Amino acid sequence: MDGLRVATYNIHKGVQGVGPLKRLEVHNLAHAVAALGADVVCLQEVRAYHRRLQRRFGHWPVGDQAQFLAPPGYHAVYRTNAVTRHGEHGNALLSRYPVLHHAHRDVSDHRLEQRGLLHVTLAVPRGGQTVALHVVVVHLGLIHASRVRQVRALGEYLAQAVPPAAPLVVAGDFNDWGQRLHAPLAALGLRTAPQAHVPTYPARWPLLALDRVYARGLRVVALHAPHGPGWARWSDHLPLVAQLQWA
């Protein structure tokens, strides 16, 4: 295998709209995820359950959204970040490759935002062998100072949990409005494509490049976000799709 196709997508808990106009989009999102054609899909704002919405929408999927969104043959891993009055939500990873291990680290910076890292190790074929690829799914905070501390926490976690020479991908919603996290992430050996500004938010009129894919031991060689009427409706973010090559 010459490279990998990795996507990251904030799915807004599978629901769009407000009040009486609220609509369930998770069924459309299942088709959207499959259409990305990615080897690995990193998801944010994924629900395992929400009691009130499950009563409202009779066609709410059985089981957690991660399993529902996984294309046939894919493995799904989900871990909770935030617990709310009626349910919870967190990060998920879908992979066409077997899962060797997974872990979760709480990186909440203050009590108003519950945030976490999902770390999944995958068995990926390369050159007739199998290598352990580490993927960390992130959803960072809304305040810049929080994001800086969360990147610091990410670095501390990687130093403990990921061998320095192991291939690593860190992807997700960085909420980095001013693209100020490139430097601290580069200090961890994590880099994205040279022309990395691909707007993904808001989905209807994308202006901000909040969603990112960084790598160590691989190179991010191309990035794109799909556009069109469907993508603008299914979530408040567009997905970001990255092509990676082995370094």
Side-chain angles (χ1 to χ4, degrees), residues 49-94:
Y49 69 93
H50 191 279
R51 287 180 290 268
R52 186 172 62 184
L53 291 176
Q54 285 172 262
R55 290 194 297 268
R56 174 171 176 175
F57 296 109
H59 54 309
W60 189 276
V62 175
D64 66 58
Q65 291 181 342
Q67 294 286 345
F68 181 77
L69 293 171
Y74 277 59
H75 306 271
V77 179
Y78 168 82
R79 295 294 293 269
T80 299
N81 288 342
V83 178
T84 61
R85 179 180 177 186
H86 298 285
E88 48 74 84
H89 60 85
N91 295 334
L93 181 140
L94 314 178

Side-chain angles (χ1 to χ4, degrees), residues 10-140:
N10 182 326
I11 66 165
H12 201 249
K13 308 179 186 75
V15 175
Q16 283 288 91
V18 295
L21 299 179
K22 189 170 288 187
R23 62 188 189 275
L24 185 64
E25 291 288 356
V26 71
H27 297 272
N28 289 324
L29 285 165
H31 296 294
V33 167
L36 296 175
D39 302 304
V40 178
V41 183
C42 303
L43 300 173
Q44 304 85 49
E45 295 196 21
V46 180
R47 285 202 188 280
Y49 69 93
H50 191 279
R51 287 180 290 268
R52 186 172 62 184
L53 291 176
Q54 285 172 262
R55 290 194 297 268
R56 174 171 176 175
F57 296 109
H59 54 309
W60 189 276
V62 175
D64 66 58
Q65 291 181 342
Q67 294 286 345
F68 181 77
L69 293 171
Y74 277 59
H75 306 271
V77 179
Y78 168 82
R79 295 294 293 269
T80 299
N81 288 342
V83 178
T84 61
R85 179 180 177 186
H86 298 285
E88 48 74 84
H89 60 85
N91 295 334
L93 181 140
L94 314 178
S95 169
R96 70 168 75 247
Y97 307 117
V99 174
L100 298 174
H101 177 263
H102 60 86
H104 179 268
R105 174 65 61 92
D106 188 335
V107 292
S108 302
D109 188 61
H110 52 84
R111 64 183 180 84
L112 297 179
E113 288 187 293
Q114 301 171 70
R115 305 287 180 175
L117 310 174
L118 172 62
H119 173 204
V120 183
T121 309
L122 303 172
V124 177
R126 183 190 179 195
Q129 298 181 328
T130 300
V131 300
L133 171 69
H134 295 260
V135 183
V136 178
V137 187
V138 306
H139 188 188
L140 302 188

Side-chain angles (χ1 to χ4, degrees), residues 107-109 115 140-141 146-155:
V107 292
S108 302
D109 188 61
R115 305 287 180 175
L140 302 188
S146 293
R147 295 191 291 271
V148 170
R149 288 187 286 270
Q150 286 163 345
V151 169
R152 189 179 306 130
L154 169 67

